Structure formats: structure tokens, C-alpha cells
Amino acid sequence: MKPFDFLWVRWFAHDVTAPSGWAAKRLPRVGFYDGDDESAFGFLDPDMVVRGVQLIPAFKYGRTMYIRLEC
């Protein structure tokens, strides 16, 4: 048997209900997909991962909520 590295991930979604961009003078807001959504979790090859990102928590909005995307 040969070992195989992988990551189990929970995906973020763009919050389209929050204003963002140059006109709004705000960065886009993200949140987790609903855990019941079949596309909320997935597997990745570790070589495909971005190694650095900065997310600033918005604690004033309370606990994590899910976002439904309209794709």
C-alpha cells in the first residue's frame, strides 16, 4: 500500500447579501455553507491549497451562520 495525502475541508461561500466593493468601501464577507448542503465539505490534494490567507472575524455578528449561494 502506498500512502496518499489529502485534506478534508469545509468550504466558504461569498455572502451576496452584504454590500462590498469600491462603492460600498468594504471587503467581501464570507461564511460557511450550511452543514446539511452536500457541497459544504470536500476533499483536496494538499498541493492545491493556498498556504496563506487573512480572514478577519466579525464577532459583532455573533456565531457562525451559513450562507446559501445561488449558483
Side-chain angles (χ1 to χ4, degrees):
M1 249 186 195
K2 185 176 178 181
F4 180 75
D5 294 329
F6 66 90
L7 293 173
W8 185 52
V9 296
R10 182 169 184 186
W11 297 109
F12 284 110
H14 177 227
D15 183 354
V16 296
T17 65
S20 64
W22 290 107
K25 298 180 183 169
R26 293 179 182 265
L27 293 172
R29 190 163 45 179
V30 297
F32 289 118
Y33 275 100
D34 180 4
D36 295 331
D37 188 330
E38 65 183 37
S39 59
F41 299 93
F43 293 96
L44 279 180
D45 179 344
D47 292 334
M48 297 176 61
V49 176
V50 174
R51 301 282 188 223
V53 66
Q54 181 178 359
L55 295 176
I56 303 169
F59 294 115
K60 75 177 190 175
Y61 295 109
R63 292 191 154 284
T64 301
M65 299 297 291
Y66 62 87
I67 298 169
R68 292 194 187 273
L69 282 183
E70 296 179 19
C71 298

